[in-house]
Amino acid sequence: MFTSQEISDIKNLLSPNKNIVIITHHNPDGDAIGSSLGLKNFLKNKGIEATVLVPNDFPKFLKWMPNSKEIIISEYKRKKAGEAIYKADVIFCLDFNAASRIGILGDWFTKSWAKKILIDHHQQPENFDFVYSDTSVPATCQMIYHFIEALDEVNLIGKGVAECLYTGIMTDTGGFRFRSTSAETHRITGNLIEKGADPAMISSNTWDTNTISRLHLLALVLGRIETVQDGEVAILWLKREELQNLGFQKGDTEGFVNYGLSIKGTKVSAFFMEDLYEDFIKISFRSKDATDVNQFSRKYFNGGGHINAAGGRCDKTLEQTILEFKEIIAIEKL
Ligand code: 5GP
Ligand code: MN
């Protein structure tokens, strides 16, 4: 958590006459949108307007969240996004910790003189003016709750804030299953339910919204899942042409990588997907226990993330990328 001096400095920055911007990472997920909107809605309850900027569009299954229509999608509204950063006095940086993670916002962000406040749970943060970084917490949304507690303003958490924070905790813990899910996590979600978050509504809005294209893509991926290294590593992949043929929509492949880890005996799952527009491969890694895919992805695939969940990319073809991955893990056991 921030020191008490930092909390009092931040309190002074949070006033209606300041331009406050909230930024989150490229390809925003439930925790990114949940933490950004949760903080925005909290500040609204304090009488402060804040602008949420995302680098690119986010999945439909997150668009039910309160005030999601007010999010500025920078790839569609470049001028507005650039101006918001230019005018910003304070920028909250949520669920990412490096300028390279915010896509087209990166350059404007780096040049900005605003006070930059980091609240994030990924490994190895860059420099910010105020840093609340904790890799043991399962979701940035949980950290936003702690931040609100530190401001001593839990009373300002209404239904809208609670729904957003609950969503991010639920999605980043894989439905309260992953390793860093703690008693504290459940205490906080219990409080959020008391504040009006409805678990059945939220999980149904977020998860029971499969598109047919997602199910067709899932069938394809599951039908050819492969394991190597004596069953310890699962490999999944999708080609651009398959995405196009089956009518891919944003968010359709979210979570596919987890199926690899559900196989008994696997330690690592890797999902390789050709980008729809540019010639690179987006990679998702997931692992169990102490197997560190953050370090692995940083070292070999220009990526990073958490010990058990990381992303990366490769500029080679899909076939070459998978081959290279197999060669690496044959030498450097994961
Ligand atoms: P996903 O596989 O769901 O895209 O990402 C898994 C985790 O790794 C997420 O927490 C995400 O923020 C992070 N991540 C994904 N891609 C990258 C990347 O290219 N660089 C870094 N540093 N983190 C990433
Ligand atoms: Mn997160």
Side-chain angles (χ1 to χ4, degrees), residues 25 29-32 35 94-96 120-122 137-141 168 171-172 306:
H25 60 79
D29 57 9
D31 192 33
S35 56
L94 307 186
D95 204 34
F96 74 95
D120 173 69
H121 65 144
H122 292 89
V137 180
T140 301
C141 281
T171 55
D172 255 29
H306 311 278

Side-chain angles (χ1 to χ4, degrees), residues 58-76:
F58 54 101
K60 268 198 197 129
F61 63 78
L62 299 173
K63 296 204 170 171
W64 61 270
M65 270 193 252
N67 291 325
S68 75
K69 285 202 177 64
E70 292 177 24
I71 294 178
I72 295 176
I73 301 167
S74 308
E75 65 174 349
Y76 304 145

Side-chain angles (χ1 to χ4, degrees), residues 238-280:
L238 275 174
K239 294 184 83 73
R240 179 187 293 166
E241 202 187 359
E242 295 164 340
L243 294 166
Q244 287 164 339
N245 290 344
L246 293 174
F248 171 84
Q249 298 173 48
K250 197 159 193 68
D252 272 357
T253 58
E254 199 87 5
F256 280 13
V257 62
N258 293 311
Y259 285 94
L261 271 197
S262 72
I263 304 167
K264 193 172 163 67
T266 50
K267 282 189 180 163
V268 172
S269 176
F271 174 47
F272 301 83
M273 189 166 103
E274 285 180 346
D275 189 76
L276 260 191
Y277 309 104
E278 287 170 58
D279 288 331
F280 74 93

Side-chain angles (χ1 to χ4, degrees), residues 3 20-21 25 55 140 208 259:
T3 63
I20 298 176
V21 167
H25 60 79
T140 301
D208 300 339
Y259 285 94

Side-chain angles (χ1 to χ4, degrees), residues 26 34 47 65-66 75 123 144 146 170 184 186 196 231 251 254 275:
H26 186 77
M65 270 193 252
E75 65 174 349
Q123 300 278 330
I144 297 290
H146 287 306
M170 180 188 81
E184 180 72 351
H186 283 287
E254 199 87 5
D275 189 76

Side-chain angles (χ1 to χ4, degrees), residues 78-327:
R78 275 177 184 257
K79 191 158 172 268
K80 225 172 162 181
E83 275 170 13
I85 294 184
Y86 182 73
K87 284 198 220 142
D89 300 304
V90 179
I91 302 180
F92 280 97
C93 305
L94 307 186
D95 204 34
F96 74 95
N97 62 20
S100 63
R101 293 284 296 136
I102 51 176
I104 63 169
L105 298 176
D107 278 348
W108 292 322
F109 173 77
T110 310
K111 287 183 194 133
S112 161
W113 288 95
K115 289 285 176 205
K116 295 167 184 168
I117 305 176
L118 179 78
I119 303 180
D120 173 69
H121 65 144
H122 292 89
Q123 300 278 330
Q124 291 148 293
E126 286 178 353
N127 284 329
F128 294 80
D129 296 301
F130 296 88
V131 175
Y132 172 26
S133 164
D134 187 343
T135 58
S136 72
V137 180
T140 301
C141 281
Q142 181 169 327
M143 303 173 79
I144 297 290
Y145 186 94
H146 287 306
F147 173 55
I148 296 172
E149 268 182 336
L151 293 174
D152 201 14
E153 288 182 319
V154 170
N155 59 315
L156 289 182
I157 298 182
K159 187 172 176 350
V161 178
E163 286 176 338
C164 294
L165 298 185
Y166 186 97
T167 304
I169 297 175
M170 180 188 81
T171 55
D172 255 29
T173 57
F176 309 102
R177 289 186 308 135
F178 297 155
R179 212 158 52 123
S180 45
T181 308
S182 63
E184 180 72 351
T185 308
H186 283 287
R187 181 183 72 79
I188 290 172
T189 47
N191 292 348
L192 294 173
I193 292 168
E194 280 175 356
K195 300 271 186 190
D198 175 350
M201 181 280 275
I202 292 173
S203 63
S204 160
N205 277 357
T206 310
W207 283 331
D208 300 339
T209 52
N210 280 330
T211 53
I212 293 285
S213 50
R214 172 176 165 86
L215 295 186
H216 288 167
L217 288 163
L218 181 61
L220 180 64
V221 158
L222 294 183
R224 64 183 181 206
I225 200 164
E226 177 192 351
T227 60
V228 294
Q229 298 289 321
D230 297 325
E232 286 188 349
V233 179
I235 296 176
L236 305 78
W237 76 95
L238 275 174
K239 294 184 83 73
R240 179 187 293 166
E241 202 187 359
E242 295 164 340
L243 294 166
Q244 287 164 339
N245 290 344
L246 293 174
F248 171 84
Q249 298 173 48
K250 197 159 193 68
D252 272 357
T253 58
E254 199 87 5
F256 280 13
V257 62
N258 293 311
Y259 285 94
L261 271 197
S262 72
I263 304 167
K264 193 172 163 67
T266 50
K267 282 189 180 163
V268 172
S269 176
F271 174 47
F272 301 83
M273 189 166 103
E274 285 180 346
D275 189 76
L276 260 191
Y277 309 104
E278 287 170 58
D279 288 331
F280 74 93
I281 310 301
K282 162 82 181 99
I283 315 171
S284 283
F285 296 109
R286 298 291 184 272
S287 65
K288 290 176 189 159
D289 306 323
T291 305
D292 185 347
V293 284
N294 165 57
Q295 286 303 350
F296 181 80
S297 186
R298 257 170 217 273
K299 186 164 171 194
Y300 295 108
F301 292 103
N302 209 5
H306 311 278
I307 289 173
N308 293 136
R313 60 179 282 159
C314 182
D315 292 329
K316 300 184 177 154
T317 66
L318 183 70
E319 290 74 16
Q320 284 169 337
T321 306
I322 295 178
L323 193 66
E324 187 171 304
F325 172 69
K326 286 180 180 170
E327 284 169 0

